[in-house]
Amino acid sequence: MRVNLQPSYILHSRAYRDSSLILEVFTAEHGRLSLVAKGARRRARGGSTAALLQPFIPLLLSFSGRGEMKTLTQVESAAAPVALRAEQLYSAMYVNEVLMRLLHRHDPHPLLFAAYGQVLQDLTDAPLLEAVLRRFELGLLDALGYGFSLQQDGSSGDAIEAEGWYHFHPDFGLIRGGQGVDPSHPAYSGGDLLAMSRGEFAGDARLAARRLMRQALAQHLGDAPLKSRDLFRGRLKQTGEQR
């Protein structure tokens, strides 16, 4: 297998042997792949293209190999690095970690790849970072076949009513129920759900969307905590925010 100049982003990298890197990359046409960048750490001192092997840089990668792990043969910049600072950076790290957990190797998602590039750009100038993340999470669930309607009861097929209360079920999506007070079985107001369906994530809908996405993603992320949350937990405590 030989692939030339594939649009890609690096999701994660780690040291390998004495001087190499193992890269987890998200590509436009081949999905998530593992690549070995031989000698990348040794060459980095000379300011070579190894300096490009960082997250959040649009890249063109060439690679080859027959096994599960391919060998990186060429790297070029496809555009300027995305300038992320403070919570923008933490949010992008969260997106990368979620993709690492949920994407299967060699499973192409070209629309999701485009959405990933867009979310990085949106994080740089959006007034409300949480709205960017919630929209991406909803699109991610749809792309992976786990999506659910914010406008329709997943059990009865009835339209979501603004005055109703709904619970999330992993097999059906949102189903009507009582308001309740059980934190392990949260209820969501129909009004907030309809606001989310319109892409509105302010006020009460902001908090409801955060809870709903955590609940929906937990079904697929597993029990291990997200490391990206630990990295900015101190900062989030200062501002009273959560991801």
Side-chain angles (χ1 to χ4, degrees):
M1 176 183 182
R2 184 178 297 275
V3 176
N4 293 317
L5 300 178
Q6 175 70 193
S8 308
Y9 289 93
I10 293 174
L11 298 178
H12 184 263
S13 67
R14 66 182 187 275
Y16 179 62
R17 294 182 176 174
D18 292 335
S19 60
S20 300
L21 290 171
I22 291 179
L23 308 173
E24 296 294 338
V25 302
F26 186 22
T27 70
E29 299 175 358
H30 299 271
R32 179 185 161 204
L33 298 173
S34 295
L35 305 179
V36 58
K38 294 182 177 179
R41 289 189 292 146
R42 181 177 64 246
R43 295 194 303 269
R45 292 185 178 182
S48 70
T49 53
L52 293 173
L53 300 179
Q54 304 291 332
F56 317 127
I57 302 177
L59 298 173
L60 298 173
L61 301 181
S62 299
F63 47 90
S64 63
R66 296 183 179 180
E68 179 72 15
M69 185 180 298
K70 314 301 181 186
T71 299
L72 180 69
T73 58
Q74 184 180 356
V75 55
E76 295 182 12
S77 174
V82 181
L84 298 163
R85 297 178 177 85
E87 290 204 22
Q88 298 170 350
L89 178 60
Y90 299 144
S91 297
M93 292 169 64
Y94 164 78
V95 170
N96 277 15
E97 187 171 10
V98 170
L99 289 175
M100 283 282 294
R101 292 274 195 99
L102 296 187
L103 290 178
H104 296 292
R105 286 185 172 87
H106 311 290
D107 187 9
H109 288 283
L111 295 180
L112 183 58
F113 180 85
Y116 174 76
Q118 186 62 53
V119 78
L120 294 183
Q121 293 297 330
D122 290 345
L123 286 172
T124 66
D125 57 10
L128 183 60
L129 297 183
E130 280 200 64
V132 176
L133 294 179
R134 300 297 87 85
R135 294 187 188 105
F136 180 77
E137 289 164 339
L138 285 166
L140 173 62
L141 290 170
D142 281 339
L144 298 181
Y146 305 136
F148 54 92
S149 176
L150 293 167
Q151 298 177 310
Q152 189 176 54
D153 186 307
S155 177
S156 68
D158 295 337
I160 296 287
E161 297 181 0
E163 67 277 11
W165 288 89
Y166 298 83
H167 301 275
F168 176 77
H169 189 286
D171 294 327
F172 299 103
L174 294 160
I175 58 177
R176 188 151 188 169
Q179 181 173 356
V181 294
D182 183 357
S184 66
H185 191 52
Y188 306 95
S189 81
D192 288 341
L193 296 173
L194 293 173
M196 293 178 219
S197 74
R198 297 190 296 268
E200 301 169 5
F201 296 92
D204 291 341
R206 177 184 180 183
L207 300 177
R210 181 190 299 168
R211 291 195 304 268
L212 178 58
M213 288 298 97
R214 279 204 172 196
Q215 188 179 5
L217 286 167
Q219 309 294 321
H220 312 289
L221 290 172
D223 296 330
L226 290 169
K227 295 179 180 179
S228 55
R229 286 183 179 148
D230 293 336
L231 289 175
F232 53 63
R233 182 170 295 164
R235 183 181 181 90
L236 298 182
K237 285 182 178 179
Q238 291 178 1
T239 60
E241 298 291 338
Q242 296 180 358
R243 290 287 180 268

